[in-house]
Amino acid sequence: MTPFQALYGYTPPHMAFPVQVTTSVAAVQDYLQARDHMLQLLKEYLLHSQHRMKHFADLKRINRSFFVGDLVFLKIQPHRQSSVALRTNMKLAAKYFGPFEVVQRIGDVAYKLKLLVGSRIHHVFHVSQLKNKIGQHLLPSLALPLVHSAGTFIITPIVVLDSRYLIRDATTVP
């Protein structure tokens, strides 16, 4: 059932009439010609607006493609990755993690990455979440945060130099 039929209780009228309709009433003939002309104008305007919307959407798009074996950085929402850096302002936390190796291309816009063994996130990502690694210089690799089965992050410091307490959501965090 179409939404029109569900709302009004009857099937919608069929708007397509044969092109060559001859009637003996001049008013009906004029009405049919005017309606056909209006439908043609509406189709042209709709096509024109679709092309215009596509043009402006394509201006913002970047055509990215990666090959198997390429190294890419992975973009993860920084405000959710509180295990990487415990900050009061999450906008300053790391935005890209990696580099990771592309293992497989899945379709046109999905890629399978070779993530670390302990990472508990899915290994297939959209092309918009990936960024190509350029150059041969070494970067300090930001590993993906480890997650318990309960969904909380595993935080293990290397060395504790000093300690202090922060108040977050009415709880004290060391």
Side-chain angles (χ1 to χ4, degrees), residues 75-112:
K75 180 180 178 182
I76 298 179
Q77 296 175 348
H79 58 278
R80 293 185 179 256
Q81 301 302 325
S82 61
S83 67
V84 177
L86 195 62
R87 300 174 189 250
T88 55
N89 187 354
M90 288 299 166
K91 291 186 344 182
L92 301 177
K95 191 174 185 180
Y96 289 95
F97 295 93
F100 300 108
E101 183 181 351
V102 175
V103 177
Q104 181 185 3
R105 181 177 179 158
I106 302 170
D108 292 335
V109 293
Y111 291 91
K112 182 178 180 180

Side-chain angles (χ1 to χ4, degrees), residues 56-74:
F56 285 110
D58 287 344
L59 289 177
K60 296 179 183 178
R61 289 195 178 115
I62 299 172
N63 190 10
R64 295 184 199 166
S65 64
F66 305 105
F67 299 106
V68 174
D70 285 352
L71 294 176
V72 295
F73 289 104
L74 174 63

Side-chain angles (χ1 to χ4, degrees), residues 116-162:
L116 300 176
V117 177
S119 61
R120 296 181 46 98
I121 59 175
H122 200 270
H123 53 271
V124 177
F125 297 95
H126 191 265
V127 71
S128 64
Q129 302 301 315
L130 304 175
K131 184 177 183 181
N132 197 10
K133 179 183 180 285
I134 300 173
Q136 298 299 325
H137 57 281
L138 297 174
L139 294 175
S141 177
L142 292 175
L144 290 174
L146 299 176
V147 181
H148 282 295
S149 60
T152 58
F153 296 111
I154 301 171
I155 302 173
T156 54
I158 297 171
V159 175
V160 177
L161 300 176
D162 196 7

